[in-house]
Amino acid sequence: MQILSLTKPPSEKEILEMHCINQENIPEVGDVSKTEDFKNLVHWSEHIFVHKSEEIIKAFVLCMREGNSYHSENYKYVSKLFPRFLYVDRIAVQEKFRRKGIAEKIYSKVISTGKDNNLDILCEVNTRPLNEPSLVFHEKMDFEKVGTNDFEKNSVVYLRRPYTKE
């Protein structure tokens, strides 16, 4: 098993594997029911890290930079607060591979990329419905709260991990 940075553009097979994992992880990650919409997310992503085993993706993270035309309200929110950043749009792990340290390994790559480029890592986590495991995970990874937002269907907390943190 290994953590890889995917070259762009990912293959159709890789996109379909990630899309399937995304849909398995609802509501922890947003529903992207149409494959074409998921392809757009991949297209907007500056960095894509995956965990592969036997040449099959078991987990992934999509990260975007500032200045993107991404329409997400969460992305727009962090764009107003920070001029430069690496935004974790979503991380998803196949259920049978959860609680095995994979997310931490993937995030280590994201954090390293942020440090190498002097970029804070930004993300959001649902507080309604409550995603307690993700909140605990991000606290363990030294993320700090930078804001909140309430939407009709959910609420989120925005988190930041400064690139200067060791």
Side-chain angles (χ1 to χ4, degrees), residues 15 21 25 35 42 61 66-67 75 79 88 98 103 107 120 130 141 146 149 151:
I15 290 170
I21 295 167
N25 277 266
T35 305
V42 171
V61 63
E66 71 282 343
Y75 179 82
S79 293
V88 176
R98 291 182 189 169
Y107 252 75
D120 292 343
L130 183 62
M141 299 299 289
V146 293
N149 214 339
F151 300 100

Side-chain angles (χ1 to χ4, degrees), residues 21-130:
I21 295 167
N22 188 86
Q23 296 308 102
E24 289 174 7
N25 277 266
I26 298 166
E28 288 86 8
V29 298
D31 180 9
V32 186
S33 56
K34 295 179 183 174
T35 305
E36 195 59 37
D37 291 341
F38 190 80
K39 283 182 185 179
N40 287 334
L41 284 177
V42 171
H43 171 74
W44 286 319
S45 299
E46 180 83 15
H47 297 280
I48 304 166
F49 298 101
V50 298
H51 178 273
K52 279 191 172 186
S53 174
E54 300 172 5
E55 294 305 309
I56 297 171
I57 295 174
K58 307 296 183 186
F60 73 91
V61 63
L62 300 180
C63 299
M64 299 173 186
R65 289 288 309 268
E66 71 282 343
N68 209 316
S69 60
Y70 185 31
H71 62 276
S72 159
E73 291 302 317
N74 292 316
Y75 179 82
K76 290 176 186 175
Y77 180 89
V78 299
S79 293
K80 289 177 186 172
L81 293 179
F82 299 93
R84 297 184 71 242
F85 56 83
L86 187 59
Y87 172 71
V88 176
D89 180 67
R90 61 196 58 233
I91 180 168
V93 179
Q94 279 187 6
E95 180 142 7
K96 65 182 176 181
F97 291 98
R98 291 182 189 169
R99 309 281 185 264
K100 298 183 186 300
I102 293 170
E104 192 169 332
K105 288 176 185 170
I106 289 176
Y107 252 75
S108 292
K109 291 278 192 182
V110 172
I111 290 166
S112 176
T113 299
K115 283 182 182 179
D116 291 347
N117 294 282
N118 298 329
L119 298 170
D120 292 343
I121 309 300
L122 303 173
C123 67
E124 83 282 339
V125 175
N126 282 341
T127 53
R128 181 178 50 94
L130 183 62

